[in-house]
Amino acid sequence: MTQDASVPDPAVPGPAPSAGSPFRSARSGRDEAPQFVLPLVVRIERAAPPARTDALETAARAVLVMLSDERSQGDGEWARAVRDWEDARIRKVVRRARGAEWRRARELPGITVTGKAAEVRVFPPVPLDGWPRELARLQVSGTELDDPEPPAAADPGAPVLWLNPGVEMSAGKAMAQAGHGAQLAWWELSGEERAAWRDAGFPLAVRTAGPARWQRLLAGGLPVVRDAGFTEIAPGPTVVAEGGSHVCPLRHGHRP
């Protein structure tokens, strides 16, 4: 699912993204830059699809693994593509693969991140109209997954990416949104805090907030993903990133 910049909703409490933010729908200098997208591919075999929450959490960690990889930083081989991607709109596309499709995807430069059973491969950003053939042919829409049992309570010591209880999303859309939330959380942290989160293995949880909790989260000054409404859902907030008590203590506010 392609996730473009998000839109501020004046009816929702909490700070709106700054004018130059990649999470704002109004045109800015970011629109003049070449546009890139971060590809993610989830493995969904017919006989053994992953649980929905496992896939969402694995996709969120995959974004963090890409951002923290040494190849994405400094003079690394992916660093220029990552910088170009972050200088423009922040787009993520989740596609699905199985069997030979998955094997071909694994042959391309990227990183495979595993959860309890889920497998997600994240690739360095590519031009919006320049996808590798092996990935461009994979399906985007209709990625549906279920949780066989309700997810356990989130660890209070780890960050939680809270989903809006009033918005229904396909699994692919929700995976991209969870990735956005993880990226906002990453931007909020100092270098020391990022290193600590990385060294701990990027513990996190993705859960759906209850209505009352959701309103408190929106009013709490925490990082908020606000979808622009270009695909699948209406514009508005989709994810709030809340830091854990021991790992990734998020500060209030948004990235400048």
Side-chain angles (χ1 to χ4, degrees):
M1 290 298 172
T2 302
Q3 300 303 305
D4 289 294
S6 60
V7 60
D9 184 348
V12 177
S18 64
S21 171
F23 295 95
R24 187 183 179 97
S25 61
R27 287 190 65 82
S28 70
R30 290 178 179 273
D31 295 288
E32 308 307 319
Q35 299 297 302
F36 287 77
V37 61
L38 186 77
L40 297 105
V41 175
V42 56
R43 183 181 186 183
I44 303 181
E45 300 290 348
R46 291 184 186 276
R52 180 185 175 97
T53 296
D54 187 17
L56 267 59
E57 293 174 346
T58 305
R61 281 196 296 272
V63 172
L64 296 167
V65 168
M66 171 58 68
L67 291 172
S68 64
D69 192 278
E70 62 181 9
R71 289 167 289 185
S72 298
Q73 301 176 5
D75 295 325
E77 61 184 291
W78 299 340
R80 176 62 184 273
V82 171
R83 287 194 298 269
D84 288 345
W85 171 60
E86 292 188 327
D87 285 344
R89 293 293 184 180
I90 300 299
R91 290 179 165 92
K92 300 178 180 71
V93 171
V94 177
R95 296 177 182 263
R96 66 182 185 272
R98 64 174 180 264
E101 297 172 331
W102 176 253
R103 290 191 292 273
R104 285 192 292 268
R106 290 199 62 173
E107 293 175 356
L108 298 177
I111 307 169
T112 299
V113 178
T114 59
K116 295 176 182 177
E119 293 181 76
V120 175
R121 190 162 180 84
V122 60
F123 303 87
V126 298
L128 196 58
D129 57 356
W131 281 71
R133 183 177 65 256
E134 295 86 348
L135 302 183
R137 65 179 58 173
L138 299 178
Q139 291 294 317
V140 180
S141 61
T143 300
E144 295 295 348
L145 297 169
D146 296 311
D147 282 315
E149 299 178 359
D155 179 356
V160 182
L161 305 175
W162 293 102
L163 302 177
N164 185 338
V167 176
E168 293 187 8
M169 294 181 279
S170 67
K173 178 88 171 181
M175 289 171 69
Q177 296 292 315
H180 285 339
Q183 188 166 5
L184 282 181
W186 176 258
W187 281 343
E188 288 289 315
L189 302 178
S190 68
E192 182 178 348
E193 290 164 341
R194 291 177 178 182
W197 198 13
R198 178 200 62 214
D199 292 345
F202 292 121
L204 57 81
V206 178
R207 297 290 186 272
T208 299
R213 180 193 287 270
W214 179 249
Q215 293 303 317
R216 290 195 300 271
L217 290 164
L218 286 175
L222 295 166
V224 180
V225 177
R226 299 177 186 270
D227 190 71
F230 296 140
T231 62
E232 194 172 317
I233 62 174
T238 55
V239 180
V240 174
E242 182 181 36
S245 57
H246 305 304
V247 180
C248 186
L250 298 182
R251 294 182 290 274
H252 291 336
H254 292 258
R255 183 189 188 218

